[in-house]
Amino acid sequence: MPERKPRKDAVRNRMAVLAAADTLFARCESPEDVTMADVAAAAGVGKGTLFRAFGDRTGLIRALFEVRLEPIMDAVETGPPPLGPPTPPLQRIPALLDALLCFKLDNRRLALALEETGSVSPYQAEHYERWHSLLQAMLEQIPGLTDSDFTAHALLAATRADLVEHLAGHECVPRERMRAQLASFITRVLDSRSGC
C-alpha cells in the first residue's frame, strides 16, 4: 500500500511550526526558555497540532536540527570533496569536523538544546550515533590506527555543543581561532595514532 502524502494544511503547519521554533530558539538566552506553548502560539497552531506532528519538545528540536543540518548531510553523503565520499580520510575527517563545528557555532542554542534533551545518554542519540559511525568508518581506513571507536568519540567531543557554547560564549574565543585549534587537535590525534 503506497504511503499517503501529508495533507497540504499539515505540511503548511509543519513549516510554520519549524519557522516559529527557529526564531524562538535563535532569540532565547537558554534553550530551556522555549516551551511547546510558546512555539504553538508563535506558529498560530494549537498545542495538539504540535504534539501530533512532533511528539514532544525533543521531537520538535530534533526536526528543526535535522532541517538545518540537511545541507551538510547532503554534502557528506553525495557531495564533492572535501566532505563527500571521494575524499581520502585524512582530508575528509578534518573537513567534516570543521563543518560540524561551524554548524554548531551558527546554531549554538539549538545544538545545545538537542544535546541537553531527554534522559538517555547524549552518546545514544541518533544524530550522535550517525556522526560517530561515519567517523569510525573513515578512521578504519587509516593505516596503523587501531582504536577507531574511541578516536571517533574523542574527536566528536571537541565539537560538542556544550564545549562550543563554553568557548564561544564564556571564553569569547573567536570563530577562526576555534577552527584553527580544532584543526591542530585533529592533526595531532591522527598523526599520533597512525604513526606518522
Side-chain angles (χ1 to χ4, degrees):
M1 185 173 171
E3 191 176 311
R4 283 189 342 174
K5 281 189 168 182
R7 294 185 345 242
K8 285 185 182 177
D9 62 331
V11 171
R12 188 173 53 249
N13 284 345
R14 181 179 178 83
M15 290 170 55
V17 166
L18 290 173
D22 196 21
T23 300
L24 290 170
F25 277 109
R27 283 196 219 140
C28 71
E29 282 300 312
S30 164
E32 296 303 313
D33 293 343
V34 178
T35 67
M36 291 290 268
D38 295 334
V39 175
V45 300
K47 279 190 356 182
T49 298
L50 203 59
F51 284 101
R52 277 191 303 279
F54 300 99
D56 58 13
R57 186 174 180 276
T58 301
L60 172 61
I61 291 169
R62 188 178 300 114
L64 182 55
F65 189 86
E66 292 294 329
V67 165
R68 287 189 185 179
L69 192 60
E70 201 170 290
I72 294 175
M73 287 307 301
D74 289 346
V76 167
E77 290 170 4
T78 60
L83 289 176
T87 313
L90 288 174
Q91 287 81 49
R92 193 175 183 211
I93 291 168
L96 174 68
L97 291 165
D98 181 66
L100 274 175
L101 174 64
C102 290
F103 176 81
K104 289 186 180 181
L105 283 166
D106 293 340
N107 298 278
R108 281 171 40 198
R109 292 183 179 97
L110 183 64
L112 194 59
L114 183 61
E115 287 185 9
E116 290 178 348
T117 56
S119 56
V120 299
S121 163
Y123 303 103
Q124 295 174 335
E126 181 183 334
H127 66 94
Y128 183 88
E129 289 180 352
R130 182 186 329 150
W131 292 119
H132 180 269
S133 295
L134 181 61
L135 266 179
Q136 185 175 358
M138 286 188 271
L139 289 163
E140 286 170 354
Q141 298 173 36
I142 299 174
L145 196 146
T146 58
D147 53 355
S148 59
D149 178 59
F150 176 79
T151 304
H153 284 301
L155 290 171
L156 283 171
T159 66
R160 276 187 52 91
D162 52 359
L163 176 61
V164 170
E165 177 63 26
H166 175 75
L167 293 174
H170 300 289
E171 293 191 8
C172 299
V173 177
R175 178 188 190 97
E176 292 309 313
R177 182 168 166 219
M178 207 181 303
R179 291 178 70 194
Q181 289 171 329
L182 177 63
S184 176
F185 171 68
I186 295 165
T187 298
R188 287 194 310 272
V189 169
L190 296 182
D191 284 355
S192 67
R193 295 192 180 278
S194 63
C196 296

